[in-house]
Structures are given as structure tokens and as C-alpha cells.
Amino acid sequence: MNTKKRIMSGMRPTGKLHLGHYFGVLNNWVNLQDEYECYFSIADLHALTTKYNQTDDMKQNVIDVLLDWLSSGINPDKSIVYLQSLVPETAQLHIYLSMITPQNWVERDPTLKDLAKIMKDKNENMSNLSYGLFGYPVLMTADILNFNADLVPVGVDQVAHVELSRDIARRFNNIYNTDYFIEPQPKLTNVPLLCGLDGNKMGKSFNNDIKISDTDEITEKKVKTGITDTNRIRKDDKGNPDNCAVIYKYWQIFGTADETNEICFACKNAQMGCAECKKRLAQKINDKFAPIREKRIKLANNIDYVKDILNTGSNNARKRAKEVLDGAIDVIKMYK
Ligand code: TRP
Ligand code: SF4
């Protein structure tokens, strides 16, 4: 009997992943694969909630996310990797859950509220906020409950959604007088957040990210744009790493303790300029990601194999999802 606890998580296919995804979520997933039974979903339906009219890149984005996952160490022999839209049981479960979810619960969702506010402020057409978008957290709940997952490893920005999933699971159990659904819990990593090169949140739309799949040259070019101690203008100015908002923070993640101390000392004593410091940092980043990038190129050259992984994973996910859905339909007492 399988006594491992179950994990379910997902990412929207928005394009090639960056190092914020890697350290914030992906690396965490990779490390959980032995201890847990894992389901990882490429959430293409969630992408559609806001990008329903920008679907030209959808197929490529799915492949890119898959390549990033597999090269980073998501192992299809250990975990089930699947595409959300290839598991229609999730859409079915979503509709049952949507019936029992109070409308004011989804309206309270902080992410949706933010989104609505941004659109209002930008004077955008509010009809771009679709009915499906308001179902975002309910669809996420369907993803999680479809496997009766115990834990959901996500970044901080997703915790509110997982809390809502708990509430919906509990409400289902109360309404139908059952303990059918497990109340899932968020599982956070305690790694420090990797900010973007401009000091803001890393994101592809902010043009401040380094991709997992960037080449060494592009990585070096991007690192050059990183913010340093702004009081340090010339090379013989003494620097203060505590005021070095981006580059020194990266050192603390990518360097060993010894290396980071050495950088700190050289900076404080003006023994090394920022250009040199950045060049060395880029080298560290490139060294760390070299095996992942190499693997990614190999996989990209073997695309049929990669697609096969997604199809097999989706079929396996379906089997499990169907069992859980059928049980829920019984609990609701639908005619069948
Ligand atoms: N909403 C998540 C994100 O944007 C992706 C996601 C979809 C997810 N379904 C999920 C995360 C289920 C955890 C569990 O990152
Ligand atoms: Fe930052 Fe390095 Fe420049 Fe010091 S030398 S300010 S740590 S980039």
C-alpha cells in the first residue's frame, strides 16, 4: 500500500521559466519527489483565464515549461507530470465545486481583487474580466482535490488560493456530511526570494529576469544590468554590500560562505570593482545552471520523447482523477 502523502501543484504556461520560479518553487518540488507522491500540472486552463485571446504561443509555452521542469530535475519516473486540459475530470469537478462555492468567497480573492483594481486604474474594459477568471481559485481547488492532495507547495503569492481550497473542501464535506475531501495545506519553502535585476519582483514582463534557459552570454549581459551599491561610483570608492540591493543578494544565494565573505571584504576595501564582481557572479550562475541547460538542449532535440512524457503523465493523472471524481459524484448523490 502506498502510504506516502500526496502533493499537488502547478504552474501556468506563460513562457520560459526564470530563476525566481526555480528558487521559489521548482527546486522545492524537485526535492519533494522522493518523500511524496507528486502530481505536477501545467495549468493551461488557468493561463486561459487571462490569455484567452492570446493563444498563439500556448503550445510552445507548454513545451517550454515542460522542458524547464524536466531539465531542472522533475523526474517522470517519480512524479506524475501532466497537462491540465488533458485531464477533463478536473473541469467536471470544477463545475460541482462551483455550485457549492459562495460567490462572495471568490470575490474576496486578493489576487483577483488586485487584478480588477489594476484594470480599473488603467481604464481597461472590465468585460475583459471573464466569468472563468472568477472561477480561478475554484479551478485550482479542483486541481488539488482531484488527487485529494495533502500538501500544495507554492510560492507566497498562491497561499491565499490554497486557503480558499481548504475552505471549499471543508464546505463540501459539511454540505454532504462526509469527510471525502482532505483539506489541503500550503507548503512554503523558506528560501529567500530572488528579486529581479532591478530590485523589484522578478517577472518576465518587467524585463528584469534571468531565464533558466538563457545562454552564458545572455546571463552575463543581464547580470551587468543588476543594481549595485549606488553610492559606489568609481572603482576606488569603498562599497557597502549591505546597500548592494541586487548583486550582493545574488552572491548570498549563489556563492559559498567563503566566496561571499571574500566578495564582501573586497568590496568594502575597494579591492574589486562592480564590473569584476558581476562578471564573477555571472560565472557562478552559469556554472550552477550548466548541467540543467545542457540537459534542456538535449531534451529539446528529442521533442517526441518529451511529448510522450506529458501524454503518459496526463493519462495516469486521469485515472486517479476519475476515481476521485466518481467518488465525489456518489457523495453528491447524482443519478448515474
Ligand atoms: N495558480 C498557480 C500559479 O499561477 C498555478 C496552479 C494551477 C496551481 N493549479 C494549481 C498551483 C494547483 C498549485 C495547485 O502559479
Ligand atoms: Fe555590489 Fe559587488 Fe559592487 Fe560591492 S563590488 S557594490 S557587492 S556589485
Side-chain angles (χ1 to χ4, degrees):
M1 200 178 92
N2 192 347
T3 53
K4 282 184 182 174
K5 285 200 169 189
R6 271 183 307 276
I7 272 189
M8 193 278 145
S9 196
M11 278 187 206
R12 277 168 301 146
T14 51
K16 292 179 173 144
L17 301 178
H18 53 62
L19 304 196
H21 294 119
Y22 181 86
F23 288 105
V25 183
L26 199 44
N27 191 36
N28 191 17
W29 292 2
V30 169
N31 292 328
L32 294 167
Q33 294 181 106
D34 287 317
E35 201 182 330
Y36 297 92
E37 180 187 335
C38 297
Y39 294 84
F40 297 124
S41 166
I42 301 180
D44 56 348
L45 295 175
H46 275 107
L48 216 52
T49 59
T50 53
K51 304 268 185 192
Y52 52 83
N53 56 355
Q54 299 156 56
T55 49
D56 287 348
D57 298 336
M58 182 67 91
K59 291 192 177 94
Q60 187 56 43
N61 287 348
V62 167
I63 294 292
D64 274 325
V65 168
L66 186 59
L67 288 171
D68 283 329
W69 285 9
L70 297 175
S71 54
S72 296
I74 299 293
N75 182 341
D77 294 330
K78 294 180 186 171
S79 305
I80 292 192
V81 177
Y82 73 96
L83 184 64
Q84 187 183 32
S85 65
L86 290 182
V87 180
E89 287 74 13
T90 300
Q92 276 178 273
L93 183 58
H94 168 262
I95 209 159
Y96 290 111
L97 297 177
S98 77
M99 302 304 167
I100 64 141
T101 303
Q103 181 168 330
N104 60 12
W105 286 14
V106 295
E107 283 170 357
R108 271 204 303 266
D109 182 286
T111 317
L112 295 180
K113 262 175 134 170
D114 285 355
L115 202 68
K117 190 176 174 314
I118 291 169
M119 291 181 67
K120 264 206 184 104
D121 291 351
K122 283 205 228 154
N123 237 335
E124 277 186 44
N125 184 350
M126 294 311 278
S127 61
N128 289 342
L129 284 182
S130 71
Y131 162 68
L133 178 63
F134 277 89
Y136 191 106
V138 187
L139 182 57
M140 212 168 126
T141 305
D143 283 336
I144 299 165
L145 301 192
N146 233 171
F147 305 103
N148 239 331
D150 302 277
L151 295 169
V152 186
V154 283
V156 272
D157 58 316
Q158 297 292 317
V159 170
H161 290 315
V162 182
E163 296 294 345
L164 191 59
S165 299
R166 287 174 68 78
D167 293 341
I168 295 174
R170 190 179 311 128
R171 188 171 160 86
F172 181 96
N173 290 344
N174 281 335
I175 289 173
Y176 298 113
N177 195 20
T178 176
D179 57 4
Y180 189 69
F181 284 124
I182 295 171
E183 288 176 29
Q185 291 203 35
K187 184 172 171 58
L188 282 166
T189 22
N190 31 30
V191 293
L193 213 63
L194 193 76
C195 63
L197 291 161
D198 57 0
N200 298 315
K201 186 178 184 245
M202 189 180 278
K204 82 166 191 164
S205 45
F206 311 127
N207 241 326
N208 64 358
D209 66 352
I210 301 172
K211 309 271 194 245
I212 294 174
S213 53
D214 276 340
T215 60
D216 289 1
E217 293 71 30
I218 292 186
T219 303
E220 194 176 328
K221 231 190 201 158
K222 287 183 174 176
V223 171
K224 275 189 189 154
T225 68
I227 296 193
T228 60
D229 173 4
T230 45
N231 292 323
R232 190 174 186 210
I233 304 191
R234 283 169 325 193
K235 200 172 156 182
D236 45 2
D237 292 339
K238 290 185 175 172
N240 181 357
D242 293 335
N243 290 338
C244 180
V246 172
I247 298 297
Y248 191 66
K249 281 206 189 117
Y250 277 42
W251 266 112
Q252 289 171 319
I253 290 176
F254 288 97
T256 62
D258 280 353
E259 285 164 340
T260 312
N261 284 336
E262 190 197 319
I263 294 291
C264 182
F265 183 86
C267 174
K268 280 182 174 158
N269 295 289
Q271 292 172 352
M272 179 186 54
C274 293
E276 163 79 12
C277 183
K278 287 171 166 179
K279 210 178 155 92
R280 284 178 59 179
L281 173 66
Q283 186 66 52
K284 291 296 296 181
I285 298 174
N286 288 335
D287 287 348
K288 156 115 192 134
F289 282 94
I292 292 176
R293 288 168 172 172
E294 226 169 90
K295 188 167 175 194
R296 198 183 190 285
I297 291 169
K298 275 202 192 122
L299 288 167
N301 286 328
N302 212 340
I303 209 69
D304 287 341
Y305 166 75
V306 169
K307 287 180 175 170
D308 222 47
I309 289 174
L310 194 61
N311 286 331
T312 307
S314 301
N315 284 333
N316 289 334
R318 271 197 91 166
K319 284 185 203 134
R320 179 74 191 126
K322 185 163 180 354
E323 286 168 16
V324 175
L325 173 69
D326 283 347
I329 288 174
D330 285 340
V331 167
I332 302 171
K333 302 201 192 80
M334 299 305 281
Y335 180 97
K336 66 183 214 192

